Amino acid sequence: MYSLYSWGSPFESEGLYSFDASCVSAQLCKAEWQLCHVNSTGISQNGCLPALLYKDSTIESGFWRTVQFLKTQGYNLDADLDEEQISQSTAYISMIQDGLVDSLLFSWYLVSENFVEATRPRLAKLFGFPLSLAIPTQLQDYAVRRLKAVGVSSEVENANTKDADDETMPGSLRSKLPRIYLLAKEGFRRHADKSTHPIYEQADQYLAALSKKLDKKQYFFGNKPTTLDTVAYGCLSLIVYVDLPQNTLKTTIVEKYSNLIAFCDRIHAQLTPPTIVSEQSFLGGMGSIVKHAISRYTNISTVPPNNKRANPDLPVQVRSVAGALFVFFGYIIYNGILSAPVSEQLPGVFTVIPDL
C-alpha cells in the first residue's frame, strides 16, 4: 500500500482532509493508500507536497509527478480521453492552478479580516504551539510572494506605504516608523472590504469558463471523473466548504454558478474518510521554520564584487536566523533529545549511552 504524505487539515469536520488544493486533488486519484498528515515538506525530494511513498522510499512528490507515476501503475483517470480532450483538460487545469488558486490564496491570506479571524486561528490549532507562531505566517509569506510575482498587489507587504500621509514622508523617515505604528495601521484596515479587488473579477471569468465547460454534465468530460475533475474539486471545495468573514469567492459561486456547487456536492458525497496517520513531528516543524528563515534571509548577491552595496536589513536578518536557531537547539537540548553525557571514569570524554 502506498502512503500519501499531505498537509493536514483544520477542516476535517467539513469532510476536507487538507488545507492545500493540490493535496486535496491528489487524494482523489483512486489509488489505495493511507493518508499521512505532516507539518513540514521534509519528506519530499523537491520540497513539495503531496509526496507518494512506497516501502518507506519516496517515489514522487508534487501533484503532477504523483499523477504521472500513478498513471504508470494503472490509476489513469484520463484513459478514456482522446488527444483533443487531453489538450482541453491541460488548458483548464492550468487556468485553475495558475489563476483560480491565486484568488483562493488572496482570499485566505491577503484579506486581513479572513487571515486574522479564520485562516490563522484554524491553522494555529492544526499545528499547535509553538509551530502555530511561525507556520501560518510562512504560508502567508508564500502567498504574498506568489501573488506579487504575477503582479497582484499585497496589502500585507504594502501596509506601510499605502496611506497618503506616509507617502508624503521622506523615505528615510518613513523607514524609521515604529513597527507598533505599522501594525496598528494594519489592524485598522482589517475589516476593509476587498470584494471589489480585480483578482475577484478574474476569478469570476475562470468560474464562468468552468461552469460553461461543465454545463449539465456530471463531470467535465461526461459521466466519469478525470484529472480535471480532481483539480477543480481540490480548489472549489476549499472555497465552497470553508467559511470566511469576507467570502467573496463563495458568494460568487453560490449566486451565479449552481452547477459548480452541484459538482462539488456530487464528489463530496462519494468520498469516504481515508485512513489517516498523523506523522506531524515537532522537530520536523522546527526544522522547516529554521530552513525557511535561512532561505528567506540568505540570498546570492548579483552585484559585481567591486560594486557591493551595504544591506541595511542585514542586522535584522541575522537576528532572525540566530533566533530561529536558538529556539530550535534550545528545545532539543532542554528536552534531552540531544545530549552529551560525560563519563565518570574519564572526565572530559563524551560517551554514548547504549539503548536499553
Side-chain angles (χ1 to χ4, degrees):
M1 177 182 289
Y2 298 109
S3 295
L4 183 69
Y5 283 75
S6 161
W7 287 110
S9 174
F11 311 116
E12 288 190 16
S13 60
E14 289 88 348
L16 301 174
Y17 297 99
S18 179
F19 65 82
D20 180 75
S22 294
C23 292
V24 174
S25 300
Q27 295 168 19
L28 304 180
C29 290
K30 304 298 184 182
E32 296 180 359
W33 51 43
Q34 66 177 5
L35 183 61
C36 300
H37 282 169
V38 294
N39 57 9
S40 74
T41 59
I43 193 69
S44 170
Q45 295 174 333
N46 58 5
C48 295
L49 293 177
L52 188 66
L53 274 73
Y54 182 65
K55 293 183 178 180
D56 298 327
S57 177
T58 304
I59 299 176
E60 293 294 352
S61 54
F63 173 76
W64 275 113
R65 290 178 177 271
T66 300
V67 168
Q68 293 301 323
F69 172 80
L70 290 175
K71 286 182 177 181
T72 66
Q73 304 300 304
Y75 301 102
N76 186 1
L77 296 178
D78 299 332
D80 296 332
L81 300 184
D82 56 35
E83 292 186 3
E84 181 180 356
Q85 290 174 323
I86 290 178
S87 297
Q88 293 178 3
S89 175
T90 302
Y92 280 103
I93 289 174
S94 297
M95 181 188 72
I96 295 170
Q97 294 185 330
D98 296 335
L100 197 57
V101 169
D102 283 350
S103 63
L104 174 64
L105 293 176
F106 180 89
S107 180
W108 277 27
Y109 295 105
L110 273 70
V111 177
S112 296
E113 185 176 7
N114 290 345
F115 181 71
V116 172
E117 298 185 11
T119 307
R120 184 168 60 188
R122 301 191 79 167
L123 290 177
K125 184 177 180 181
L126 171 67
F127 291 114
F129 181 83
L131 302 182
S132 58
L133 301 178
I135 295 182
T137 305
Q138 290 181 2
L139 294 171
Q140 184 190 49
D141 180 62
Y142 162 77
V144 169
R145 288 185 284 114
R146 168 171 167 156
L147 292 173
K148 185 177 180 180
V150 295
V152 178
S153 61
S154 163
E155 66 176 33
V156 176
E157 289 202 348
N158 295 331
N160 63 335
T161 61
K162 284 189 174 180
D163 286 358
D165 292 341
D166 291 346
E167 288 293 343
T168 60
M169 294 182 182
S172 59
L173 178 59
R174 186 168 59 244
S175 64
K176 295 179 180 179
L177 288 173
R179 179 166 178 77
I180 187 65
Y181 168 70
L182 301 178
L183 292 174
K185 286 202 309 176
E186 183 177 346
F188 285 125
R189 280 197 296 267
R190 182 197 304 180
H191 299 286
D193 184 7
K194 299 294 181 181
S195 60
T196 58
H197 193 282
I199 198 169
Y200 290 131
E201 297 178 8
Q202 297 177 0
D204 191 11
Q205 297 175 8
Y206 301 143
L207 292 170
L210 287 174
S211 179
K212 183 177 179 180
K213 175 62 179 175
L214 180 62
D215 198 21
K216 298 181 180 179
K217 302 187 295 292
Q218 283 193 327
Y219 303 102
F220 285 98
F221 290 102
N223 297 323
K224 296 177 64 177
T226 64
T227 303
L228 173 57
D229 296 283
T230 67
V231 174
Y233 176 82
C235 181
L236 293 175
S237 62
L238 293 174
I239 299 173
V240 173
Y241 301 122
V242 176
D243 291 325
L244 299 172
Q246 292 189 33
N247 218 342
T248 306
L249 288 174
K250 181 176 180 178
T251 300
T252 300
I253 297 177
V254 170
E255 293 181 352
K256 301 176 65 174
Y257 307 111
S258 58
N259 62 337
L260 294 181
I261 295 289
F263 165 80
C264 289
D265 290 342
R266 187 179 305 114
I267 295 180
H268 203 67
Q270 298 176 23
L271 298 180
T272 56
T275 301
I276 299 177
V277 178
S278 178
E279 297 201 7
Q280 298 188 22
S281 165
F282 181 86
L283 288 179
M286 290 300 301
S288 70
I289 293 174
V290 173
K291 182 178 179 181
H292 175 86
I294 294 175
S295 63
R296 183 72 176 88
Y297 295 117
T298 304
N299 50 54
I300 300 175
S301 174
T302 57
V303 181
N306 295 332
N307 298 310
K308 290 185 178 181
R309 295 193 300 263
N311 182 1
D313 297 327
L314 183 60
V316 176
Q317 296 173 358
V318 171
R319 287 197 297 269
S320 298
V321 175
L325 292 172
F326 177 79
V327 172
F328 176 66
F329 288 110
Y331 175 85
I332 62 177
I333 293 174
Y334 178 79
N335 288 275
I337 299 173
L338 178 64
S339 60
V342 180
S343 171
E344 295 181 358
Q345 292 79 12
L346 298 174
V349 179
F350 293 110
T351 60
V352 179
I353 300 177
D355 295 335
L356 298 179

